[in-house]
Amino acid sequence: QTCALPILRVEGCRAGVRVEGGDYGGTTLAALTVVSNRNAGVVLRGAVTGLTIGTVGAGVVALANGVGIDVGDGASDVSIVGGRVAASLGDGIRIGGATTRRVTVRGTLVGTRADGLKALGNAGHGIVVDRASDVQVIGCTVAASGGAGILVQGADGTLLEDTNVGVGIDRITVQGNAAGGVRILDGAQRTVVAASRVVGNAAAGIE
C-alpha cells in the first residue's frame, strides 16, 4: 500500500506524523511536506517494521521541525528513501535505542536545498545513530549541520557508503558540517565508512 498524495502538508503539531508499533510491510509514506512541528517531523516508535518513508515525488521535506525524522524504541526494517531533511531545529535524522535495528537511509539529502548543493542545514547533527544496530546510510548527502555531519555513538554494525559528508551532491561544492564530518564515539563497534567523500568540515573529517 502507498499512502501518498501529490502534496500532504502537516504543520504546527507536536509531532507531524507519528507511526506506532505494527507490521507495515509494503507500506510507503511518500510526498510529504512536514514543517514547523515542535518535536519531530516524522516519529517512528516501537516495533514498526517494513515501513518506507519517501520514494515518490518530493519525498519527505522536513523544515523547521524539532527533529526531522526520529526513529527509535524498537523500530526495525525501516527504510528512509530519497527526500530531503533540512532546517530542523535539532538533528536532521535521529536513529536511536538499543532495540532499534536494520534501518536504512538511502539517497536522502540532509541539510541542503532541493538541488543538493545550496545549504539549508539542520541546527544539530545531520544524522545520529545512537546505540542502534545494523544501520546503513547509503548514497546520501549530509551537509551544513550545526553539529557533526554523521554521529555514531554506542552503535553496532553501522555502514556509511557512497555518501557525501561536507560537500554537495556534486561532490565538489563545499557545505561543511560545523563539528566534523563523521564522529564515532562511545564504544561504537563495527563501523565501516566506504567509498564516501568526507571533506570541507570545520573539525576532523573522520574521528
Side-chain angles (χ1 to χ4, degrees):
Q1 181 181 2
T2 297
C3 302
L5 293 172
I7 298 176
L8 175 59
R9 185 180 182 93
V10 183
E11 181 171 1
C13 303
R14 183 175 179 182
V17 177
R18 185 178 181 94
V19 182
E20 298 287 351
D23 186 351
Y24 296 87
T27 297
T28 298
L29 294 177
L32 302 176
T33 298
V34 185
V35 303
S36 299
N37 299 289
R38 292 188 295 278
N39 288 351
V42 178
V43 178
L44 307 182
R45 284 288 181 267
V48 177
T49 65
L51 178 66
T52 297
I53 299 174
T55 74
V56 178
V60 175
V61 182
L63 301 174
N65 298 290
V67 174
I69 300 176
D70 187 1
V71 183
D73 291 350
S76 64
D77 300 303
V78 172
S79 296
I80 300 166
V81 182
R84 181 166 61 98
V85 181
S88 299
L89 303 178
D91 301 324
I93 299 173
R94 173 172 284 273
I95 303 165
T99 56
T100 299
R101 61 194 186 278
R102 296 191 302 277
V103 176
T104 299
V105 184
R106 185 185 297 274
T108 300
L109 300 175
V110 181
T112 75
R113 297 184 183 274
D115 62 5
L117 301 174
K118 298 182 183 68
L120 192 60
N122 299 286
H125 306 296
I127 299 175
V128 177
V129 182
D130 182 11
R131 295 174 296 124
S133 60
D134 299 320
V135 173
Q136 298 184 338
V137 178
I138 301 173
C140 296
T141 293
V142 186
S145 305
I150 300 175
L151 174 64
V152 181
Q153 55 186 16
D156 182 38
T158 303
L159 171 64
L160 311 177
E161 182 177 304
D162 190 27
T163 289
N164 304 319
V165 184
V167 290
I169 197 169
D170 62 354
R171 294 200 159 197
I172 297 172
T173 304
V174 174
Q175 297 291 359
N177 299 286
V182 178
R183 301 191 67 190
I184 303 168
L185 305 173
D186 297 340
Q189 300 180 40
R190 299 191 302 141
T191 302
V192 176
V193 181
S196 295
R197 185 163 172 79
V198 184
V199 299
N201 300 286
I206 302 175
E207 178 184 3

